[in-house]
Amino acid sequence: METITIPYLTGDGVGTEVTPAMITVVNAAVRAAYGDERRIAWQEIHDIEEFRPHKVGIKGPLTTPVGSGIRSLNVALRQALDLYVCLRPVRWYAGVHSPLLHPERVNMTVFRENTEDIYAGIEWEAGTPEAQKFYRFLHNEMGVNKVRFPETSAFGVKPVSREGTERLVRAACRYAIEHALPTVTLVHKGNIMKFTEGGFKRWGYELAERDFADELKSGKLTINDCIADAFLQNTLLKPETYSVIATLNLNGDYISDQLAAMVGGIGIAPGANINYNTGHAIFEATHGTAPDIAGKDIVNPCSIILSAVMMLEYLGWKEAGVLIEHALEHSFQEGYATADLARFMPNGHVLSTSQFAAQLAERITH
């Protein structure tokens, strides 16, 4: 029997409900796909550092305070393991309510840079000696005179490197080629931030032209770019024109959440943080801890379940992932879902978190 050990972090809030639901569904799919030939040995961990010795893991949502306190455990994990790609595939599942007339046209994979831009966390609070010192440097040493209210300004630094850009765009191009997808689109705000966002665009094109010259010439790969605000508009007007997206951190944050809303919401949006060089990959629920509904057995577990599908594909266990996706789609088409989705379905049947996971496992094994 082939056994793979998967460390998992249950997470905070609703993590204690969605993570066990995910394990129930994945175990059923692995049994149905491989019988006694393969299994997952789940190893619960309680600290993000415990992911380090493992190549692949999965986690529930973790608390991120706003305004003060720790910056983010999620960010700390991505920085510690240099998980430079935030991978967010977005597609519509038949049966799920969408605000779009044609949600079936949405099928994109977002490669969001995970270690630079705002995720570097370089900023100083207004009124602090550090902020004042930084402003004096800008003003006295760099000749910057465009800060309108320097005494009450907070400051942040947005690092964007050639190396960070190249490894992200390289991963996006390889993904497009391996999955026979038509385009890689560089989404940026280079018309305003000419050296950071503009550098991302320029370095991305140069990388593609250098490393994928044959694929570009043969038509196996097409690379283009779009200004971020125009791209957000285009995703609503003509989503079918985009397939693989490569973008910086802040843009990617907005883009992935908007795309998720277009196909039914963050509750069915999977995600992963990956270093394609070392092989480390942490799959995750993309939503928050939702403390207002924690412990009520009503949260939608689909985000982490679909992230587990991504994990199975990453491991090469695609057959098990396909079983989960088919079970999900059949469940949605018949109106069986948690309350957040079922209430919009014409034939909606509301299931609790645990009931939803149990009926998915039943669909998979029978």
Side-chain angles (χ1 to χ4, degrees), residues 275-291:
N275 183 318
Y276 285 97
N277 299 328
T278 66
H280 282 96
I282 308 299
F283 300 83
E284 65 180 352
T286 60
H287 54 74
T289 57

Side-chain angles (χ1 to χ4, degrees), residues 50-127:
E50 294 179 71
F51 277 121
R52 188 178 294 277
H54 300 275
K55 289 291 185 183
V56 177
I58 193 166
K59 69 177 189 66
L62 296 173
T63 301
T64 300
V66 177
S68 62
I70 58 171
R71 183 169 295 276
S72 170
L73 290 173
N74 294 306
V75 174
L77 174 62
R78 295 162 189 168
Q79 296 279 351
L81 295 179
D82 196 23
L83 304 174
Y84 60 87
V85 169
C86 179
L87 184 65
R88 295 283 294 271
V90 184
R91 56 156 289 197
W92 178 69
Y93 290 89
V96 175
H97 172 78
S98 164
L100 300 187
L101 183 60
H102 292 289
E104 71 279 0
R105 296 176 182 173
V106 181
N107 193 350
M108 303 182 211
T109 303
V110 179
F111 280 72
R112 172 189 175 196
E113 207 290 321
N114 228 1
T115 63
E116 299 189 315
D117 196 8
I118 64 166
Y119 263 34
I122 306 172
E123 61 174 353
W124 298 278
E125 186 178 1

Side-chain angles (χ1 to χ4, degrees), residues 15 18 21 30 46 66 69 74 79 110 114 117 130 163 166 197 203 230 240 245 252 267 319 332 334 359:
V18 299
V30 171
H46 300 90
V66 177
N74 294 306
Q79 296 279 351
V110 179
N114 228 1
D117 196 8
E130 293 80 8
E163 292 87 346
E166 287 185 347
E197 302 263 342
W203 296 326
E240 66 278 4
I245 311 304
E319 298 86 356
F332 294 150
E334 293 173 19
Q359 66 95 25

Side-chain angles (χ1 to χ4, degrees), residues 90 105-109 181-187 224-245 259 262:
V90 184
R105 296 176 182 173
V106 181
N107 193 350
M108 303 182 211
T109 303
L181 295 171
T183 60
V184 173
T185 302
L186 307 175
V187 178
N224 55 39
D225 74 278
C226 189
I227 300 297
D229 45 335
F231 175 79
L232 290 172
Q233 177 181 221
N234 291 345
T235 58
L236 294 170
L237 297 175
K238 48 181 181 179
E240 66 278 4
T241 60
Y242 299 108
S243 52
V244 178
I245 311 304
L259 293 179
M262 289 162 57

Side-chain angles (χ1 to χ4, degrees), residues 8 44 96-97 187 268 321 352:
Y8 70 96
E44 185 171 15
V96 175
H97 172 78
V187 178
I268 56 171
S352 69

Side-chain angles (χ1 to χ4, degrees), residues 25 27 128 175 237 317 352 355:
V25 173
N27 283 343
T128 62
Y175 183 94
L237 297 175
W317 294 15
S352 69
Q355 288 172 336

